[in-house]
């Protein structure tokens, strides 16, 4: 009987294994049904977004087939950028006015006179209505002769000897004629003046009829241009420009007159000059000429008058003309 009970409590092992494996293949579990339902719902939602006219349709779907709809995203981005406010450009800094006024003057001066000022920051030129008329330069042109010598020597890979530099100093500071003639011969005489016209972009100048340096023709406007040419380094070159301008600040003796004398004493030593003065017996005229180089300007003044009035009259009138065009408070 005991054996009979064991058989009743046992059963078929194959059936037990089948029962433990769970539902049959034809049946679906609850989890599988939930997963399938979620996928179907997702597909439906996606379809609704892509279907034009659907309340859930995306912008892109709503525009399918619309010829007026933009197709270039870059164009849209560019349009957005254009609609953004742009920053206002920074205003250009205002330049400090030159110490000279742009005006015409009528002075009680015998003979002919003219003046011109060049703004070295902008290149603007102001002056008398006759600033393009020429006169003979006399010693004023020595500033170019020395500059031409120094630049050409450097271009040839050479350096002036101490003796030559001492000669150049005498030409600039003391207006030595003998040494000026020697330098003029070295730089090719009238060929040097032609280089000045080309390098300094003068428009009124010309070589002297006799080929010499003293009768070189320059206008006040071209005198200011020559000053700018010296100041910016075209004349003497990068190696010798500072040296030359310093020498011109140290002009002394009878050549120290004119433009810079119109300025306060503290400013005069900062202004470089080279003047010319001569009595032209052939024309029975005095020719007095002044060149000055300031911080941001250059100036040329020229006067001619009867020879019997002497040098001093013209030298003082160079200063008088400058004073007449200076702004008040300078």
């Amino acid at each position: 009987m005991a054996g009979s009970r064991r058989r009743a409590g046992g059963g078929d092992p194959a059936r037990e294994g089948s029962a433990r494996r769970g539902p049959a293949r034809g049946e679906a579990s609850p989890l599988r049904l939930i997963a399938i339902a979620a996928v179907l719902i997702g597909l439906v939602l996606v379809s609704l977004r892509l279907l034009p006219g659907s309340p859930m349709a995306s912008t892109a779907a709503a525009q399918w087939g619309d010829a007026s709809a933009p197709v270039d995203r870059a164009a849209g981005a560019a349009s957005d950028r254009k609609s953004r406010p742009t920053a206002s450009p920074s205003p250009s800094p205002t330049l400090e006015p030159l110490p000279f006024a742009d005006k015409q003057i009528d002075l009680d001066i015998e003979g002919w006179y003219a003046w011109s000022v060049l703004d070295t920051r902008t290149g603007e030129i102001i002056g008398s209505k006759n600033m393009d008329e020429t006169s003979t330069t006399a010693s004023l042109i020595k500033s170019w002769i020395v500059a031409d010598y120094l630049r050409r020597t450097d271009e040839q890979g050479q350096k002036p000897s101490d003796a030559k530099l001492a000669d150049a100093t005498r030409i600039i500071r003391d207006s030595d004629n003998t040494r000026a003639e020697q330098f003029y011969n070295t730089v090719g005489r009238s060929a040097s003046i032609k280089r000045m016209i080309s390098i300094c972009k003068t428009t009124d100048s010309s070589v002297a009829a006799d080929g010499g340096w003293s009768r070189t023709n320059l206008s006040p406007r071209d005198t200011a241009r020559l000053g700018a040419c010296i100041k910016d380094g075209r004349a003497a070159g990068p190696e010798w420009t500072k040296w030359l301008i310093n020498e011109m600040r140290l002009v002394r003796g009878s050549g120290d007159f004119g433009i810079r004398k119109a300025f306060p004493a503290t400013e005069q030593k900062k202004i470089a000059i080279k003047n010319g003065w001569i009595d032209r017996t052939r024309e029975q005229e005095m020719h007095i000429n002044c060149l000055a180089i300031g911080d941001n300007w250059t100036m040329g003044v020229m006067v001619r008058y009867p020879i019997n009035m002497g040098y001093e009259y013209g030298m003082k009138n160079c200063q008088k003309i400058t004073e007449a065009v200076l702004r008040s408070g300078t």
Side-chain angles (χ1 to χ4, degrees):
M1 289 185 65
S4 175
R5 283 197 296 271
R6 283 195 294 272
R7 287 195 294 272
D12 188 351
R15 286 184 178 179
E16 280 185 356
S18 174
R20 283 195 298 269
R21 283 194 296 267
R25 291 181 182 178
E27 299 176 2
S29 69
L31 289 176
R32 184 177 297 175
L33 290 175
I34 292 171
I36 292 170
V39 170
L40 290 175
I41 292 171
L43 291 173
V44 170
L45 291 174
V46 170
S47 300
L48 289 175
R49 283 185 58 79
L50 296 176
L51 182 65
S54 166
M56 298 181 65
S58 66
T59 303
Q63 293 177 345
W64 284 356
D66 185 356
S68 64
V71 295
D72 187 353
R73 292 181 181 179
S79 176
D80 290 343
R81 286 193 295 270
K82 289 180 181 178
S83 64
R84 296 172 188 168
T86 56
S88 301
S90 301
S92 301
T94 302
L95 295 176
E96 182 180 351
L98 293 181
F100 305 95
D102 184 5
K103 64 180 181 180
Q104 298 303 309
I105 55 175
D106 185 10
L107 304 178
D108 183 17
I109 294 178
E110 186 75 22
W112 171 91
Y113 66 91
W115 67 276
S116 182
V117 169
L118 187 150
D119 187 332
T120 56
R121 302 165 300 180
T122 65
E124 181 183 1
I125 297 176
I126 61 174
S128 58
K129 291 180 179 179
N130 61 344
M131 63 180 173
D132 60 340
E133 296 178 8
T134 64
S135 190
T136 64
T137 62
S139 293
L140 182 150
I141 200 64
K142 293 172 184 173
S143 59
W144 166 258
I145 295 171
V146 170
D148 196 31
Y149 169 79
L150 293 171
R151 188 195 69 260
R152 285 166 59 82
T153 301
D154 185 58
E155 288 173 348
Q156 294 165 6
Q158 301 174 4
K159 182 178 179 180
S161 65
D162 290 343
K164 282 294 184 183
L165 287 177
D167 286 344
T169 291
R170 291 287 300 276
I171 294 169
I172 298 298
R173 296 191 195 183
D174 304 317
S175 208
D176 188 290
N177 288 333
T178 301
R179 289 174 172 83
E181 186 69 21
Q182 293 169 353
F183 271 53
Y184 191 57
N185 289 330
T186 300
V187 295
R189 299 187 66 79
S190 60
S192 177
I193 305 303
K194 291 176 182 178
R195 283 193 295 272
M196 180 198 71
I197 293 170
S198 174
I199 293 173
C200 299
K201 309 298 182 186
T202 59
T203 57
D204 316 315
S205 309
S206 62
V207 174
D210 63 5
W213 53 264
S214 180
R215 284 187 174 269
T216 300
N217 294 291
L218 222 61
S219 65
R221 177 169 65 180
D222 279 354
T223 299
R225 286 171 173 152
L226 171 58
C229 192
I230 293 172
K231 180 178 174 62
D232 65 24
R234 285 174 291 157
E239 183 68 22
W240 293 101
T241 293
K242 289 183 179 179
W243 184 91
L244 176 58
I245 291 177
N246 185 62
E247 291 298 310
M248 294 174 67
R249 290 188 178 121
L250 298 174
V251 167
R252 59 199 175 192
S254 57
D256 185 11
F257 64 88
I259 296 170
R260 73 176 174 186
K261 295 295 185 180
F263 287 80
T266 54
E267 293 184 39
Q268 289 181 23
K269 61 183 180 181
K270 302 176 185 177
I271 299 173
I273 64 169
K274 188 70 191 87
N275 299 320
W277 62 104
I278 193 168
D279 53 340
R280 299 291 186 199
T281 55
R282 186 193 312 168
E283 295 88 351
Q284 286 295 293
E285 291 177 337
M286 301 296 297
H287 290 195
I288 311 295
N289 312 295
C290 299
L291 163 65
I293 302 173
D295 288 339
N296 49 25
W297 56 267
T298 61
M299 185 177 192
V301 178
M302 291 182 153
V303 297
R304 284 196 310 264
Y305 52 92
I307 196 170
N308 62 349
M309 300 183 75
Y311 291 113
E312 196 71 22
Y313 182 78
M315 292 174 173
K316 288 183 177 179
N317 280 333
C318 269
Q319 178 179 341
K320 183 177 180 180
I321 291 166
T322 306
E323 291 170 342
V325 296
L326 283 176
R327 294 182 184 274
S328 59
T330 299

